[in-house]
């Protein structure tokens, strides 16, 4: 009996030891899901800052806006850096996720691009407008179009949908697409509203090529996010501090020349 008890205790201690060892190893490492541009580029920039603090940063690039939250919710990766807060909150609500903002980093003004027109007045009756298909992005696009007096929205509270359009003088036709695919459809529509990260990847210059673009007062700040309960972990807090350091601010300003705006 004593021998059995001793064997069980040794086994438990071994398991406990492995768990502790794993926990200690993970304390000096943080894995982040990110969009390629500009998020992964900014993360690569802060790697040396974190290395000096003994933190290993692993960056995993994703091409969509769905998986980065899924892998964090399921614990596959520690954090993500690709989305603004309204997108995060909508995803939490729709998917019953528990993703939480750690810190706001930058704004990517959303812009309108075209291969068929050079100014907004050239939009004809029945023009096709391609827009991102996410709930929070539709709200954002509609507010941008209203600011350009292309549509008028109702005054009801809450997120706007296509059903919120009260007036559409040019009878614009809206085509909903996955955000990453929008640049590829520029030749097939009259206008496309594209997220800046995908515009930059497609070699579009938001400041030169956009027919119109959001102002710097946009509330859609891109955030470093993690699963609720992990936001105070040391490695994630050090990453948050590195992403909002003076060096990172200068890098964003020089690298993107106003197409990406620091929010700190």
């Amino acid at each position: 009996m004593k021998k059995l008890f001793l064997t069980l205790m040794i086994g438990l201690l071994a398991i406990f030891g492995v768990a502790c060892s794993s926990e200690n190893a993970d304390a000096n490492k943080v894995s982040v899901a990110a969009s390629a541009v500009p998020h992964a580029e900014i993360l690569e920039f802060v790697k040396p800052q974190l290395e000096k603090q003994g933190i290993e940063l692993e960056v995993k690039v994703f091409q969509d806006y769905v998986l980065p939250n899924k892998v964090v919710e399921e614990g596959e990766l520690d954090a993500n850096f690709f989305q603004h807060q309204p997108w995060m909150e909508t995803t939490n609500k729709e998917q019953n996720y528990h993703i939480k903002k750690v810190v706001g980093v930058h704004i990517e003004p959303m812009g309108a691009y075209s291969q068929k027109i050079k100014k907004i007045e050239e939009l004809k009756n029945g023009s096709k407008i391609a827009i991102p298909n996410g709930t929070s992005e539709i709200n954002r696009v509609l507010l941008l179009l209203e600011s350009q007096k292309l549509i008028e929205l109702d005054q009801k509270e809450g997120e706007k949908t296509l059903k919120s359009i009260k007036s559409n003088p040019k009878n614009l036709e809206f085509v909903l697409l996955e955000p990453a695919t929008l640049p590829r459809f520029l030749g097939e529509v009259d206008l496309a509203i594209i997220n800046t990260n995908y515009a930059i990847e497609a070699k579009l210059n938001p400041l030169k090529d956009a027919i119109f673009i959001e102002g710097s007062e946009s509330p859609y700040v891109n955030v470093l996010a993690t699963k609720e309960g992990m936001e105070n972990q040391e490695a994630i807090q050090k990453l948050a501090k590195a992403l909002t350091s003076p060096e990172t601010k200068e890098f964003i300003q020089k690298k993107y020349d106003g197409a990406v705006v620091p929010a700190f």
Side-chain angles (χ1 to χ4, degrees):
M1 191 70 176
K2 289 182 178 179
K3 186 176 182 180
L4 177 60
F5 177 75
L6 183 59
T7 302
L8 287 171
M9 287 299 295
I10 291 172
L12 288 171
L13 286 170
I15 292 170
F16 180 75
V18 169
C20 288
S21 175
S22 175
E23 186 177 336
N24 290 335
D26 291 343
N28 295 322
K29 182 177 180 180
V30 59
S31 56
V32 184
S35 296
V37 180
H39 307 83
E41 292 178 341
I42 297 172
L43 288 167
E44 291 295 335
F45 173 78
V46 303
K47 269 189 178 181
Q49 296 182 44
L50 292 169
E51 286 175 0
K52 291 177 182 178
Q53 302 174 64
I55 302 297
E56 179 187 349
L57 172 61
E58 180 184 10
V59 181
K60 296 282 189 180
V61 175
F62 289 80
Q63 298 301 325
D64 69 283
Y65 284 176
V66 177
L67 288 176
N69 274 327
K70 186 174 186 290
V71 295
V72 171
E73 176 68 21
E74 294 177 353
E76 185 177 337
L77 297 179
D78 301 316
N80 63 45
F81 181 38
F82 78 102
Q83 66 189 330
H84 51 65
Q85 190 161 343
W87 179 276
M88 181 191 73
E89 291 172 350
T90 298
T91 302
N92 280 341
K93 184 178 179 180
E94 292 178 348
Q95 301 296 328
N96 194 29
Y97 285 172
H98 307 84
I99 309 299
K100 188 171 181 178
K101 168 188 171 182
V102 179
V103 70
V105 181
H106 68 267
I107 297 168
E108 299 174 21
M110 184 176 276
Y113 302 84
S114 178
Q115 293 180 353
K116 298 182 179 180
I117 64 171
K118 294 189 179 299
K119 52 186 179 180
I120 197 170
E121 291 77 15
E122 295 176 11
L123 276 176
K124 298 177 181 179
N125 189 64
S127 291
K128 287 186 177 182
I129 313 294
I131 66 175
N133 60 2
T135 303
S136 63
E137 296 298 76
I138 292 173
N139 179 84
R140 183 180 182 183
V141 167
L142 293 178
L143 292 174
L144 177 59
L145 292 174
E146 185 178 48
S147 74
Q148 299 298 313
K149 304 187 185 307
L150 288 171
I151 60 171
E152 184 181 351
L153 300 170
D154 63 36
Q155 298 303 307
K156 296 177 182 177
E157 293 185 2
E159 286 193 329
K160 303 301 181 183
T161 68
L162 294 179
K163 292 181 179 180
S164 304
I165 299 174
K166 184 170 70 173
S167 175
N168 183 3
K170 289 183 179 286
N171 297 307
L172 302 174
E173 179 183 342
F174 297 98
V175 182
L176 276 63
L177 299 169
E178 287 291 329
T181 69
L182 285 163
R184 300 202 295 270
F185 283 87
L186 270 175
E188 300 179 30
V189 296
D190 299 289
L191 194 73
I193 313 297
I194 305 175
N195 301 82
T196 289
N197 58 313
Y198 291 128
I200 293 173
E201 282 187 53
K203 309 302 180 185
L204 294 168
N205 186 318
L207 299 182
K208 296 178 181 179
D209 299 326
I211 294 173
F212 56 87
I213 196 167
E214 286 177 322
S216 59
E217 72 281 358
S218 169
Y220 293 89
V221 176
N222 280 230
V223 300
L224 172 69
T226 188
K227 190 168 184 179
E228 188 174 357
M230 292 184 61
E231 61 270 20
N232 293 320
Q233 287 193 2
E234 184 179 1
I236 289 177
Q237 282 298 311
K238 286 183 176 179
L239 172 58
K241 188 174 181 180
L243 285 171
T244 54
S245 68
E247 295 85 355
T248 304
K249 185 173 187 176
E250 184 179 4
F251 169 79
I252 293 173
Q253 290 170 331
K254 288 184 176 180
K255 173 77 174 177
Y256 304 107
D257 194 26
V260 178
V261 183
F264 55 91

